[in-house]
Amino acid sequence: MQTRKKYIFITFFASWLLLFYFGGDQIKRLAFLSRKKAAVLKNWPRWTDRSLLESFADPEELQSDGGHHKQSAKARRESRINIYKHSRCRMETCFDFSRCEKHGFKVFVYPVEREDPVSESYLKIITSIEESRYYTSNPEEACLFILNIDTLDRDHLSIQYVHNINDKIQGFPLWNDGRNHLIFNLYSGTWPNYTEDLGFDIGQAILAKASFYVENFRPGFDISIPLFSKEHPQKGGERGWLYQNSVPPKKKYMLAFKGKRYLTGIGSDTRNALHHIHNGKDIISLTTCKHGKDWEKHKDTRCDKDNSDYEKFDYQELLHNSTFCIIPRGRRLGSFRFLEALQAACIPVLLSNGWELPFSEVIDWSKSAIVGDERLLLQIPSTVRCIHSDKILAFQQQTQFLWEAYFSSVEKIVQTTLEIIKDRLFHRESRPKFVWNTLPGGLLALPEYSTHLGDFPFYHLQHGSSPSGKFTAFIRAVSPVVSLSQPILKLIQAVSRSQHCAQILVLWSCEKPPPPRGRWPQTAVPLTVIHGRRKVSDRFFPYSAIGTDAVLSLDEHTSLSTSEVDFAFVVWRSFPDRIVGFPMRSHFWDSSQSQWGYTSKWTNEFSMVLTAAAFYHRYYHSLFTNSLPAGLRSLIDQLSNCEDILMNFLVSAVTKLPPIKVTQKKQHQEAAPQQMSKSAAVSSGNLHFSQRQDCLNQFAAWFGYMPLVHSQLRLDPVLFKDQVSVLRKKYRHLEKP
């Protein structure tokens, strides 16, 4: 018996040795894969509000359907190796920072040749870069390079697919294995797997790509951009659909989807299951089988009913009337409906596992979207129903902010991409994430101006702070001082008596030299003369001598009392992000001429406050000089006109709000250009007015829309013209004739 047990034990031990000898590698691989799979599932599901959703799925079910839809792990690895030979690229290893040290952040676009096939969308990208403040036509100055080869559509079945890109780029002397290059792409791969293969070696180039898969995304190096259609506007873009009276936030339909139902292939699993959540009441989920030439070959029993129900609802009406919009993956991870939902203030419910969301490096999507899981589709309705109305409204407002700040035009998408790269290169002048996710957005908060939030006019309300309690008077002088009774001298005296005035700066833009110090009035505050270049754009240059948050911009012929200045400054401190002043003007749409019109008539509404007598934050000097294109500044310098209109355009574009008019005793008269003779006063006035109307239309064309906002509000002091004793009024001098 003992001998028998001994033989059994020896046989069992020998069997284990043979198993480990011949199959140990496979066992280790299985163990490794199981650990890897467990690690992948560890952080799943990735929801915005984890407390709202518990996992009711069986682990075996979860492991049976995941990842890249019927593509093996080995195939994915091989595909990734073929696409990204430099998969470990980071800015520190694959970008030459030294090219950006001398000339700063400059971008060069390879000249487009006539024979180069360029799509409309790629032309919009190139145009946006060439019109930006970073563009340079000199490659020696460039920090970043953009190819003239259209790389947007890399589906080799597409008619816009460009062949032999590898051969072309290898012939570029500046290519340098893609170092310091930025490549844009919207579509990659083709039927049936739609991998991220671009069909050429990107080398060490940064990839700005739509539908980016997280496994291929190189954090801190690549940039995920949204998928946009060829109809997407180059600049401007439509406003969002959410209005101030959109309360309550819950609309007719709680949850909606209308789109194609892929019968087979990648992306079909999720879309085929969407009908399960449709209830025909507050959840509308409609799909159609009519997709592709051979859809009838794969037609199933549901197709006829699905196609019929699909036609009963209009897609635009669903967007308008739905609180949440389902954004499932298509053939690729991204889809057009993502931007459509943002614009419509329909909160996106994302069902696209593995999608690196657009600009996720700077945008906090947890404030505007619900990131779901394709495998938990049936839990979506109960999840969105749990979200409170207050949070729904906050989500809707954030969708509007993100849409208008970063996604409403190709220009904004390109600018956001460039600014993200610039922030990586210049860490000390980079924007905090708070700035990117708060009005007015990262594109309008220049880090070159400051990295301290309190220095900007936008963030006082959030931080409970106030701008400084003093202002700098900034007077533009274009006429020589020949008499002690000239308006500029009286203006200096009136302004200097203000209790809030810190200093007076005179921008001398006259051919003759300024008078000596003894000819200027004696003031209780410092008076400094700055020599300008006799250009109207000089008045909005960010002079270092301006040491206060508030700037009181004045023309030499302006007439103001000390009380008017004091009251206007007190009002401005409550609205530091807006222009607050006295002379008002307005714009209107002239349907007979199909253009914008300009009027100086006193009416019941206005849209501009002229900077001949107005307060605004000094930050707008930096924004005016550094963000507006040189062509616009050259235009106003050539005309010696319209600089005040352009500043109103800029501030309204930033704030989405009108300026504020305050009480004034005398009506302001616009001054004609100084070089005009008195005999030509009428004709010069007409020319001046005509130029301003032309400027209005040229500025609107450049912005891509009309940013000016009308207002019917004027702020007066309390007790202004009330039938009470004058002694009880704080600004009593405002009522004196």
Side-chain angles (χ1 to χ4, degrees), residues 18 105 205 267 319 357 372 455 516 622 679:
L18 291 173
F105 187 66
L319 284 177
L357 296 183
D455 292 335
S622 293
S679 61

Side-chain angles (χ1 to χ4, degrees), residues 260-371:
K260 297 170 182 175
R261 174 188 153 206
Y262 303 128
L263 296 171
T264 61
I266 192 168
S268 62
D269 292 347
T270 301
R271 296 203 175 201
N272 270 325
L274 287 173
H275 75 282
H276 289 297
I277 63 173
H278 174 80
N279 64 15
K281 297 177 182 179
D282 64 341
I283 299 179
I284 305 298
S285 182
L286 306 170
T287 57
T288 177
C289 300
K290 296 179 180 179
H291 173 63
K293 298 178 180 179
D294 57 348
W295 70 271
E296 291 185 342
K297 295 181 181 178
H298 306 283
K299 182 178 177 181
D300 58 23
T301 56
R302 271 186 27 230
C303 279
D304 289 336
K305 186 178 186 306
D306 285 355
N307 294 342
S308 176
D309 293 342
Y310 185 85
E311 302 299 332
K312 295 178 181 179
F313 289 82
D314 180 76
Y315 178 64
Q316 295 297 321
E317 289 184 6
L318 276 179
L319 284 177
H320 270 286
N321 296 306
S322 300
T323 305
F324 295 90
C325 284
I326 299 176
I327 315 294
R329 64 162 297 147
R331 294 303 191 190
R332 299 172 180 87
L333 293 174
S335 68
F336 296 143
R337 71 182 66 248
F338 178 64
L339 292 188
E340 294 167 351
L342 283 181
Q343 182 184 9
C346 188
I347 302 170
V349 179
L350 304 175
L351 298 175
S352 185
N353 293 4
W355 182 22
E356 183 72 27
L357 296 183
F359 304 136
S360 55
E361 183 174 338
V362 295
I363 294 179
D364 182 2
W365 286 107
S366 67
K367 296 180 179 180
S368 57
I370 305 297
V371 182

